[in-house]
Amino acid sequence: MDIKKKFDLSGKVAILTGASKGIGESMAHAFAQAGASVVVSSRKQEAVDEVATQINEQGGTANGVAANTGSIEELQKLVDITIDTYGAIDIIVNNAATNPVFGPVINTNEDVFDKIMNVNVKGPFELAKMAFPYMKKRGVGSIINISSIGGLSPEPFLGIYSVSKSALISLTKVIAKEWGPMGVRANVICPGLIKTKFSQALWSNEPIVDKMTKELPLPRIGQPDEMAGLALFLASDASSYCTGGVYTADGGYTI
Ligand SMILES: NC(=O)c1ccc[n+]([C@@H]2O[C@H](COP(=O)([O-])OP(=O)(O)OC[C@H]3O[C@@H](n4cnc5c(N)ncnc54)[C@H](OP(=O)(O)O)[C@@H]3O)[C@@H](O)[C@H]2O)c1
């Protein structure tokens, strides 16, 4: 066995949503360093171009394609451009998410509910469906959905966001069961509190940070690049017998 070869992504094509910053950006760099051609996506073309340029300057292969995961048309464009550019899709990382509200669930109106579900659940499902025929054709594929510890047990004031992240876990298991016989694997990563723009309301709140980190076996907030190794494992042949798995990366928060 050649373990380095198992983690090698040479010849593979990966699409990552929400990859202009934070956790997604770290994963995009990791996949490119492991040899994959990487399609960096988020809503803003300028932001994804910046990350793609950095990857290319460091000797990797990447391009940036803007797509809002709440829009099926834009996701289709993302897939079409990827196929036109690289001719295949082997890895999808459904990482983009939204949470426009922080507070009691009673304050979540219908529009906000629909937005959260569209971006966090429907978009990942549609993107996986669009990629599936290409993965099936090669008899191999890896879908990685980025959920949250809130998807395992609801976090205070993150009610419908937590619901969406639970749905994403369930969706991953459904896909894993149905698409496994075609060689397509699906797994979930549930990060704990990671220092990114998304979670700023939490990590900039000292009482919350104190409470969380005091109780954590690894008593600190995580960094985005601490998610990249797990994603690389799940994207690569190193995890060839893993599907339907739910992997926490949370400093031990859920123990
Ligand atoms: N940070 C944490 O503590 C934490 C904990 C648990 C789970 N997570 C999960 O980890 C994932 C990444 O979060 P992060 O913390 O890395 O956030 P981040 O640093 O704020 O990055 C979010 C990324 O998503 C993009 N994005 C936002 N809305 C989008 C949309 N509708 N369509 C496409 N792209 C969109 C953003 O770029 P644009 O603005 O250019 O679109 C950006 O690239 C999310 O699924 C989040 O739920 C994070």
Side-chain angles (χ1 to χ4, degrees):
M1 184 191 59
D2 181 344
I3 193 66
K4 276 193 188 158
K5 209 169 162 204
K6 281 185 180 281
F7 281 92
D8 185 11
L9 297 184
S10 299
K12 307 250 187 204
V13 180
I15 296 177
L16 299 98
T17 67
S20 65
K21 52 181 173 270
I23 293 169
E25 182 185 4
S26 284
M27 290 175 180
H29 279 285
F31 287 10
Q33 284 173 31
S37 300
V38 170
V39 179
V40 179
S41 189
S42 86
R43 288 167 301 182
K44 299 182 196 107
Q45 188 64 47
E46 213 176 290
V48 291
D49 282 346
E50 213 174 288
V51 175
T53 301
Q54 247 179 41
I55 290 173
N56 290 322
E57 282 172 1
Q58 288 163 6
T61 304
N63 64 328
V65 180
N68 186 329
T69 65
S71 158
I72 291 175
E73 293 72 32
E74 291 183 25
L75 289 175
Q76 188 61 60
K77 191 190 76 186
L78 171 62
V79 165
D80 292 346
I81 293 175
T82 303
I83 293 299
D84 285 351
T85 311
Y86 299 112
I89 303 171
D90 303 289
I91 300 156
I92 294 278
V93 182
N94 278 312
N95 170 70
T98 191
N99 181 45
V101 285
F102 186 73
V105 76
I106 194 75
N107 296 339
T108 305
N109 66 34
E110 190 184 351
D111 286 349
V112 169
F113 182 96
D114 288 347
K115 186 179 178 189
I116 293 173
M117 289 300 167
N118 277 340
V119 171
N120 298 6
V121 186
K122 188 168 159 192
F125 177 48
E126 293 300 328
L127 183 57
K129 268 197 325 193
M130 289 171 195
F132 175 65
Y134 300 103
M135 294 179 167
K136 190 177 165 197
K137 200 159 111 192
R138 304 227 300 195
V140 63
S142 174
I143 294 162
I144 302 166
N145 291 328
I146 310 304
S147 177
S148 165
I149 50 170
L152 298 170
S153 175
E155 288 295 311
F157 299 125
L158 293 170
I160 299 306
Y161 169 79
S162 297
V163 171
S164 76
K165 292 299 191 178
S166 294
L168 191 59
I169 292 171
S170 185
L171 173 69
T172 310
K173 292 178 182 178
V174 169
I175 288 174
K177 266 196 178 173
E178 291 197 14
W179 298 354
M182 274 74 80
V184 179
R185 301 183 294 107
N187 291 284
V188 190
I189 296 176
C190 295
L193 181 56
I194 311 301
K195 195 167 186 178
T196 67
K197 184 162 180 275
F198 190 81
S199 58
Q200 192 165 358
L202 298 174
W203 56 256
S204 59
N205 181 324
E206 236 174 81
I208 292 183
V209 172
D210 281 354
K211 186 174 181 296
M212 274 196 76
T213 52
K214 221 183 276 163
E215 288 165 10
L216 271 182
L218 303 180
R220 60 182 175 80
I221 297 172
Q223 297 298 323
D225 64 6
E226 294 185 278
M227 305 295 107
L230 181 51
L232 176 59
F233 168 69
L234 293 173
S236 70
D237 289 346
S239 62
S240 53
Y241 200 52
C242 300
T243 198
V246 182
Y247 299 87
T248 55
D250 63 354
Y253 182 82
T254 42
I255 295 172

